[in-house]
Amino acid sequence: MDINPDRFLRELFAKAVAVADPMAALPEVLGKKTAGRLIVVGAGKASARMAEALESAWGPCEGLVITRYGYERPCQGITIKSAAHPVPDAAGEAATLEMLELMRGLAADDTVVCLISGGASSLLTAPVPGVTLDELKQVNADLLASGAPISAMNALRKHLCQAKGGQLAAAAYPAKVVSYLISDVPGDDPGMIGSGPTVAEPECLDSALAALAPFGVTLPAHVEAAARAHAGVVMPGDERLSTTENILFASPLQSLQAAQQVAEAAGLRVEILGDALEGEARDVAGEQADLAKAKVGRGPRVLLSGGELTVTRRGDGVGGPNAEFALALALALEGAEGIHAIACDTDGVDGAAEVAGAVIGPNTLATAEAKSVDAALALAENDAHSFFEKIDAQVVPGPTLTNVNDFRAILITK
C-alpha cells in the first residue's frame, strides 16, 4: 500500500475534528435571528467557538458563555469567560452565578439560545447551598479517578449544582429556550451532554449514588444531606421546560463517518465498531487488538470507533484514556506486523494533559526499548502520556474548539 500510516491516521483524526467544528456545522442548523430580546448563554470546551459561529451568522448578540482556559474565541457582543476543566474552579462558579442571574426576570416573548458542549459539567458549576466549591472539586476529582462511566458521573453532578439537570433552562422560564448541543457522550443522550443544563432529569439522588457504588464513590454525609435538601434538578413534565427545545447538531458518529469517507477514498475497507463504546481503556484495547490481529490477511482496512473510555487510577503518572488505550493496544499487539493505530480525544485534551492522544505501530515497543522506556511499567503507573512523549509519538493539535469525544482508528495494511 502506498500510504504513510502515521500521516494517514493523523489525517483521519483531523477530518473527524474538522467536520465537528461549530464554525462549519452550527450555521447549517440555525434559523433566522429571532425578533425581540435575545440572550445567548452556554458552556463547554466548544462553547466559545459556537458563540463565534453564531455571531458570524446573526451578528453581535448579548450573552455570556464559559469555556476552558485556552479555548477562548473573539466575539462581537457575547462575553467569553474562562474556567478550569476537568475540575471546577472559582472562576467557573462566579461565571455560572452571573449566568443564572442573567436568566432571571425574562418574559415570554424573550428568547434564550444555549450553546452546550462537553466540558460544561466542570465549567458550569454553582454548588447547591451547604456545599463549598472545594468540596465539589473533591467530588469531581474522586469521580474522575474512579473509572465510572460518564453517565454515572454526570447523574451525580446534576444533584450538586444549581445549573445542571434542566435548571439553567428553568431559570429562564417563561422565555423560549433553544439549546444547540454537541454530543461527547455515548448514545448522544442530551441529558448527559454537559450534565443537561436544559434537559429534564428523571433520576433521583439515590439512583445516582447506587450507580456509583460499584466504583467506590461515596459522598461525605453533610454533602449528601445538602444535596437531598437543596438539589433542584427539574423532573420530566415540569412546566418550566415546556418552552425549551434541544437540538443536537454534531455527534461522534458524524465524525466517524467523515473519517470513513477519507479511508474509502484511499481504497480501504472500513468497519465502524461503534460510536458509543465505554469501558476500561486497557480492556477495550485488548479486545480491539485481538480483533485487529484476526483481520490481518483479509485485505487492507480501517477499524473505527468512538465513545468514551475510562481509566481506573492505579498509579500517579500522567495519562488519559486515549493514551492509555494506545499504550495497552501496543502491548497487546506485541509488534504485530502491518497494524498501526491512533487514539485521540477530539477536544485536543486527553485526561488533564494538553495532548490529544498518540499513534502506535509495529515498531512502538522496539523504539521504546531502544530508548530504555518501559511500556509495561508506564501502563501500570497510568503514565501513558510520558511514555509517548519519550518516543515522540504524541498527537498535539492544540485546542480543537470542538468535542465529540474519543476517536480511534486501527489501520491494517498487511
Side-chain angles (χ1 to χ4, degrees), residues 244-399:
T244 296
E245 178 183 12
N246 293 290
I247 300 171
L248 179 68
F249 73 94
S251 70
L253 181 58
Q254 291 172 347
S255 287
L256 293 181
Q257 290 171 335
Q260 177 182 9
Q261 292 174 0
V262 173
E264 289 178 341
L268 295 162
R269 298 180 186 179
V270 176
E271 299 178 37
I272 295 181
L273 306 179
D275 66 331
L277 272 60
E278 295 184 274
E280 190 75 19
R282 62 184 66 188
D283 295 339
V284 177
E287 296 166 1
Q288 293 200 10
D290 291 341
L291 179 61
K293 286 187 285 188
K295 299 287 184 181
V296 171
R298 299 185 183 182
R301 66 190 64 214
V302 175
L303 310 179
L304 297 173
S305 63
E308 183 159 22
L309 304 183
T310 52
V311 171
T312 300
R313 196 159 184 80
R314 300 169 174 87
D316 58 358
V318 180
N322 287 280
E324 182 145 320
F325 171 91
L327 177 55
L329 184 67
L331 285 163
L333 289 172
E334 299 178 306
E337 185 180 350
I339 304 178
H340 306 256
I342 188 170
C344 291
D345 198 316
T346 54
D347 65 9
V349 180
D350 185 36
E354 304 298 316
V355 180
V359 290
I360 68 160
N363 297 326
T364 295
L365 298 183
T367 300
E369 185 176 359
K371 294 187 175 185
S372 300
V373 181
D374 191 327
L377 179 61
L379 182 62
E381 295 183 346
N382 301 121
D383 201 23
H385 282 312
S386 298
F387 172 85
F388 287 114
E389 181 180 19
K390 291 172 183 175
I391 67 169
D392 193 28
Q394 291 181 310
V395 180
V396 189

Side-chain angles (χ1 to χ4, degrees), residues 8-388:
F8 180 72
L9 289 168
R10 290 172 186 266
E11 180 185 350
L12 293 184
F13 173 62
K15 182 63 175 180
V17 169
V19 77
D21 184 344
M23 190 60 73
L26 182 57
E28 293 184 3
V29 297
L30 285 175
K32 293 183 178 181
K33 186 175 182 180
T34 182
R37 187 182 182 193
L38 171 69
I39 296 176
V40 179
V41 297
K45 283 175 274 189
S47 63
R49 182 66 159 180
M50 294 164 78
E52 181 185 20
L54 183 143
E55 287 193 328
S56 73
W58 286 356
C61 296
E62 172 189 4
L64 166 67
V65 303
I66 311 169
T67 195
R68 187 180 191 267
Y69 294 120
Y71 281 58
E72 304 85 356
R73 295 298 299 168
C75 285
Q76 304 170 54
I78 300 169
T79 298
I80 306 297
K81 298 214 169 179
S82 307
H85 177 277
V87 177
D89 67 358
E93 180 183 27
T96 300
L97 292 173
E98 182 180 345
M99 186 181 297
L100 287 170
E101 189 60 33
L102 193 61
M103 298 292 91
R104 306 192 195 285
L106 297 179
D109 55 354
D110 295 332
T111 300
V112 175
V113 171
C114 290
L115 307 173
I116 304 297
S117 73
S121 292
S122 169
L123 300 167
L124 194 64
T125 183
V128 297
V131 178
T132 68
L133 179 61
D134 284 341
E135 290 168 337
L136 189 63
K137 289 168 67 174
Q138 186 58 56
V139 170
N140 271 273
D142 292 344
L143 287 171
L144 292 168
S146 71
I150 188 65
S151 57
M153 288 194 240
N154 284 356
L156 179 60
R157 286 164 165 164
K158 294 177 186 183
H159 290 83
L160 296 173
C161 178
Q162 301 177 50
K164 301 179 177 69
Q167 296 178 84
L168 183 64
Y173 183 79
K176 179 182 179 182
V177 177
V178 182
S179 186
Y180 293 96
L181 311 171
I182 295 179
S183 174
D184 71 327
V185 298
D188 300 334
D189 179 357
M192 286 296 110
I193 301 169
S195 297
T198 61
V199 183
E201 172 54 41
E203 298 294 329
C204 64
L205 179 61
D206 287 332
S207 296
L209 291 172
L212 290 165
F215 300 93
V217 176
T218 59
L219 292 178
H222 72 283
V223 172
E224 181 176 339
R228 293 189 183 282
H230 301 293
V233 292
V234 183
M235 299 295 289
D238 192 303
E239 183 182 10
R240 292 173 296 167
L241 296 185
S242 62
T243 58
T244 296
E245 178 183 12
N246 293 290
I247 300 171
L248 179 68
F249 73 94
S251 70
L253 181 58
Q254 291 172 347
S255 287
L256 293 181
Q257 290 171 335
Q260 177 182 9
Q261 292 174 0
V262 173
E264 289 178 341
L268 295 162
R269 298 180 186 179
V270 176
E271 299 178 37
I272 295 181
L273 306 179
D275 66 331
L277 272 60
E278 295 184 274
E280 190 75 19
R282 62 184 66 188
D283 295 339
V284 177
E287 296 166 1
Q288 293 200 10
D290 291 341
L291 179 61
K293 286 187 285 188
K295 299 287 184 181
V296 171
R298 299 185 183 182
R301 66 190 64 214
V302 175
L303 310 179
L304 297 173
S305 63
E308 183 159 22
L309 304 183
T310 52
V311 171
T312 300
R313 196 159 184 80
R314 300 169 174 87
D316 58 358
V318 180
N322 287 280
E324 182 145 320
F325 171 91
L327 177 55
L329 184 67
L331 285 163
L333 289 172
E334 299 178 306
E337 185 180 350
I339 304 178
H340 306 256
I342 188 170
C344 291
D345 198 316
T346 54
D347 65 9
V349 180
D350 185 36
E354 304 298 316
V355 180
V359 290
I360 68 160
N363 297 326
T364 295
L365 298 183
T367 300
E369 185 176 359
K371 294 187 175 185
S372 300
V373 181
D374 191 327
L377 179 61
L379 182 62
E381 295 183 346
N382 301 121
D383 201 23
H385 282 312
S386 298
F387 172 85
F388 287 114

